[in-house]
């Protein structure tokens, strides 16, 4: 597909998201509402006429992050996230305000004990964990982890950070009381395997906490998401129509809490690994 067509799909998809968010949340901050209103206007103007410059960060994904010959899906994701790392915090901040608002606080309030955060990225959840938790973070990207280490130092927050693969967690079974994964299963190559690994490293009775974007419950927006991911899957392995809840159930977790927000495009899940007695029942 020509670049102009892929850019057009992405542009209209983002504008559609803005329109739905504007309609579905009357409590948006004034500056966020202005942003969404301007984005909706772009539907009439169309996408930019020229491709973005080759800069580091998310814009570079459309031109340089496609699969390379002989590259495994995991190696590709590592390369993509290393490329995105320098600009990630700035780029995600607005989306957190308009789309993912409250998600990190929700995770922090429910985490307890020995906490493992899978795909910790630049460590944006760190400020929200209770002071009495013991945090370990793992991520595929050393560039993201370098930023997370600086954040931990600035917060004076003790945390063990390790490079590793969510599909092959380098921990013994039953090592953690809580496992957290935020906005990452959408791009992990095999989310079912990653969730099974989360199950393995949790103690019986332990808590799984997930926040991610998923396919909308509103069909027109779900169709726009499908069109958008025709580009984003190839460009950076990013899926918009995945849903993690069925995979959590298949892994053997018991669902304790789930809520969908923003026209059904955001889902928060709290699940528990059964105790030995519950598993035998």
């Amino acid at each position: 597909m020509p670049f102009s067509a892929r850019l057009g799909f992405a542009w209209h998809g983002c504008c559609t998201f803005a329109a739905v968010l504007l309609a579905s949340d009357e409590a948006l901050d004034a500056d966020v509402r202005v942003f969404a209103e301007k984005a909706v206007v772009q539907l009439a103007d169309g996408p930019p006429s020229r491709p973005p410059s080759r800069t580091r960060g998310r814009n570079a994904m459309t031109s340089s992050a496609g699969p390379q010959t002989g590259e495994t899906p995991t190696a590709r994701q590592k390369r993509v996230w290393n490329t995105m790392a320098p600009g990630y915090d700035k780029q995600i901040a607005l989306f957190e305000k308009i789309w993912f608002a409250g998600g990190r606080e929700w995770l922090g309030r429910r985490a307890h004990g020995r906490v493992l955060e899978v795909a910790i990225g630049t460590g944006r959840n760190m400020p929200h964990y209770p002071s009495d938790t013991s945090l370990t973070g793992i991520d595929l990207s050393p560039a993201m982890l370098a930023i997370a280490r600086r954040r931990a130092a600035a917060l004076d927050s003790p945390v063990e950070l390790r490079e590793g693969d969510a599909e092959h967690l380098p921990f013994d079974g039953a090592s953690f009381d809580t496992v957290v994964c935020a906005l990452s299963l959408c791009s992990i190559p095999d989310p079912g395997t990653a969730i099974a690994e989360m199950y393995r490293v949790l103690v019986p009775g332990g808590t799984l906490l997930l926040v991610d974007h998923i396919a909308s419950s509103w069909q027109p927006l779900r169709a726009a998401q499908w069109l958008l991911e025709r580009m984003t899957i190839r460009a950076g392995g990013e899926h918009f129509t995945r849903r993690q809840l069925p995979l959590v159930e298949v892994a053997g977790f018991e669902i304790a809490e789930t809520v969908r927000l923003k026209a059904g495009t955001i889902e928060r899940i709290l699940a528990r690994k059964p105790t030995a007695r519950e598993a035998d029942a």
Side-chain angles (χ1 to χ4, degrees):
M1 181 183 292
F3 177 86
S4 59
R6 290 186 284 131
L7 181 60
F9 278 140
W11 185 264
H12 285 281
C14 290
C15 290
T16 302
F17 280 132
V20 172
L21 293 173
L22 185 62
S24 64
D25 191 344
E26 294 300 326
L28 290 176
D29 292 342
D31 57 334
V32 177
R33 181 169 293 278
V34 169
F35 168 83
E37 289 170 349
K38 288 181 178 179
V40 172
V41 171
Q42 298 300 329
L43 284 170
D45 296 337
S49 57
R50 294 182 179 180
S53 61
R54 289 180 176 267
T55 57
R56 294 181 67 84
R58 190 173 298 271
N59 286 345
M61 289 177 62
T62 57
S63 60
S64 63
Q68 297 180 354
T69 303
E71 189 177 44
T72 67
T74 299
R76 176 193 178 193
Q77 287 307 108
K78 183 174 184 177
R79 176 170 56 83
V80 167
W81 287 109
N82 279 337
T83 299
M84 292 175 61
Y88 178 78
D89 281 341
K90 182 177 180 180
Q91 293 156 1
I92 198 66
L94 180 59
F95 286 99
E96 287 186 359
K97 194 170 187 180
I98 193 173
W99 195 13
F100 310 134
R104 299 191 189 280
E105 293 85 351
W106 183 89
L107 293 168
R109 288 193 297 269
R110 289 159 177 77
H112 60 91
R114 297 164 296 171
V115 178
L116 171 64
E117 183 171 346
V118 177
I120 194 170
T122 63
R124 294 184 68 85
N125 288 330
M126 287 182 190
H128 304 292
Y129 289 117
S131 59
D132 60 352
T133 57
S134 172
L135 178 61
T136 301
I138 187 169
D139 200 274
L140 195 61
S141 165
M144 299 288 271
L145 285 171
I147 299 171
R149 289 189 178 95
R150 293 196 293 269
R151 175 169 274 120
L155 293 169
D156 193 22
S157 174
V159 56
E160 179 185 355
L161 295 171
R162 299 174 60 172
E163 183 179 339
D165 183 358
E167 297 174 20
H168 305 281
L169 294 175
F171 305 105
D172 293 335
S175 295
F176 297 96
D177 303 297
T178 306
V179 173
V180 175
C181 189
L183 308 176
S184 297
L185 285 165
C186 52
S187 62
I188 290 173
D190 188 342
T193 296
I195 291 171
E197 279 288 274
M198 297 175 199
Y199 185 97
R200 180 183 66 81
V201 302
L202 271 172
V203 298
T207 300
L208 175 70
L209 297 170
L210 304 178
V211 172
D212 222 318
H213 59 79
I214 63 171
S216 175
S217 54
W218 186 47
Q219 195 280 329
L221 181 53
R222 189 164 63 250
Q225 289 175 296
W226 185 88
L227 287 172
L228 180 60
E229 72 177 7
R230 296 313 93 199
M231 182 185 74
T232 60
I233 292 174
R234 178 173 175 77
E238 181 81 5
H239 294 254
F240 283 92
T241 60
R242 279 182 177 175
R243 192 178 184 195
Q244 283 63 252
L245 184 61
L247 300 177
V248 173
E249 294 172 327
V250 167
F253 285 98
E254 297 175 343
I255 307 302
E257 180 182 354
T258 179
V259 60
R260 294 179 71 172
L261 306 165
K262 302 296 184 182
T265 63
I266 299 296
E267 188 161 47
R268 301 173 182 175
I269 298 172
L270 188 159
R272 292 193 174 90
K273 180 177 179 178
T275 63
R277 179 176 298 179
E278 291 169 334
D280 293 338

